[in-house]
Amino acid sequence: MSFYRELENHVHEQLSRRNFLSKTSLGLGAAAMASLLNADDSMAKKIASGTPEGASLPLGKPHFAPKAKRIIYLFQSGAPSQLELFDYKPKLEQMWGQDLPESVRKGQRLTGMTAGQSSFPLAASKYKFAKYGANDMMISELMPYTSSIVDDVTFIRSMHTEAINHDPAVTFFQTGSQQGGRPSWGSWISYGLGSDNQNMPSFVVLLSKGRAGDQPLYAKLWSNGFLPSVHQGVVFRSGPDPVFYLNNPEGIDKTSRRRMLNSLVKLQQAQFEKILDPEVNYRMAQYEMAYRMQTAVPETMDISKEPDYIFDLYGEESRKPGTFAANCLLARKLIEKDVKFVQLYHQGWDQHGNLPNDIKTMAKSVDQASAALIKDLKQRGLLDETLVVWGGEFGRGAYSQGKLTKDNYGRDHHPRSFTIWMAGAGVKKGFVFGETDEFGYNVVKDPVHVHDFQATVMHLLGLDHEQLIFKHQGRRYRLTDVHGKVVKPILT
């Protein structure tokens, strides 16, 4: 029996629909909204969660004890080159300028940007690597601040994906599908775990830009898809109005706004009475959230009271709203307000040509602030309950795109192998997992697929990725589709 038929039968069994609504203190619509505000009525909870038959229950609670309470995801859009940053390959120095052996490439797919090249000359990184930390991890000179936190970090050097172009690859990481329309990762977590602060969204998005000519980002990456709209990611922007249309219009004070919302509740109840569509109640819940956010958001987004030593830690750029460094600082403030999922997108890593110069610029824009976030969380006692993730949508190839010189080269997209790092709650410290071949081209040990990575992060948050499902148009969906396994060796 469908959920809506069950609800219809429930109403008719008890009272006529109109009498049922009029005799409850708030009405069914208000009861559903009350559920979103942590009421206990079981039927209202079912309506408010939008949980169809066959979905995992209960929602708002982890499936098992979580290691992490929240996540900060520092997504590096455009795909940083692992060969310049984290995956040292001396073989590329020995064979500089020689063609990539066909025995390594194995006829694998290339993008249209290099498929027509007559040769594939191997390009060693222009930048030097050195050993850092207790386990002698090889880190590039481009990341001096990151090298100082390696004893708190797990590097996964064996990531691989199916997508070879930016848009489908980013969409795949963020939604579990290369095609748009699926719920984003943060929306799934909001749907499964709910919110720990009723005055703030559970899923917040921060955007920053690197160099000019960035790959575009789209709202589908933080969309709720077919999940209830209350789980949509909320974009916080720099400037006096962090959230569009949050502030009251001129001439409207808080009391007037409250009266307007009270009247709107009555109208929405009447609409719900006619159509029994849960989305009516989700819409009202969003209005109520916006009302409460009017006080909470400006306070959270105000970094003017941060002490000078914090700005020194994150770097001078942290004083400039909208920069990666400023957004890292805001991410820390947001998780202090119990925001469950903070998604930070940083653009500018798409380096098909002039890579040595451009990656130096990009690394400088993120290195200090990324490391500072780990140190700041650690000194506040928050790192043990917060998971931080750093990485892009795929890697970069071992051969040069276009002309190769000692000082200049480019690298094309490479989905076969790349590196991400994780730090904080539930992951090992000072640990490297996975290995690529001597060219950095293929994974040769402990491969980690995107769905495996998603399953692992969900596991750290106390969610079984196979059980958090939502039935839509006759099919049961989940973030990892029908794939994914938890990467247990990286867990504490």
Side-chain angles (χ1 to χ4, degrees), residues 134 246 391:
L246 183 65

Side-chain angles (χ1 to χ4, degrees), residues 210-329:
R211 63 193 183 94
D214 299 334
Q215 287 290 329
L217 297 172
Y218 304 101
K220 67 177 180 179
L221 300 176
W222 49 89
S223 168
N224 58 293
F226 45 70
L227 293 178
S229 57
V230 290
H231 304 300
Q232 167 87 21
V234 179
V235 177
F236 281 17
R237 297 165 175 83
S238 58
D241 294 313
V243 181
F244 284 159
Y245 312 116
L246 183 65
N247 294 331
N248 292 326
E250 187 176 348
I252 301 295
D253 59 19
K254 195 172 183 68
T255 301
S256 299
R257 181 70 166 253
R258 182 68 266 170
R259 286 199 302 267
M260 181 271 291
L261 287 175
N262 290 343
S263 298
L264 192 57
V265 166
K266 296 177 181 178
L267 293 174
Q268 297 285 23
Q269 287 176 8
Q271 184 182 12
F272 185 86
E273 176 185 354
K274 293 179 179 179
I275 63 175
L276 289 178
D277 181 359
E279 191 60 34
V280 173
N281 299 313
Y282 306 142
R283 191 183 309 130
M284 274 310 305
Q286 288 174 301
Y287 292 154
E288 289 289 339
M289 171 65 77
Y291 179 76
R292 297 191 300 273
M293 284 168 58
Q294 286 183 331
T295 300
V297 169
E299 176 188 352
T300 303
M301 298 294 284
D302 181 12
I303 62 173
S304 63
K305 297 178 183 178
E306 293 290 325
D308 286 341
Y309 81 88
I310 289 294
F311 290 116
D312 292 341
L313 179 65
Y314 283 85
E316 191 60 31
E317 287 284 298
S318 64
R319 297 180 184 272
K320 302 176 183 178
T323 61
F324 179 83
N327 284 345
C328 282
L329 177 52

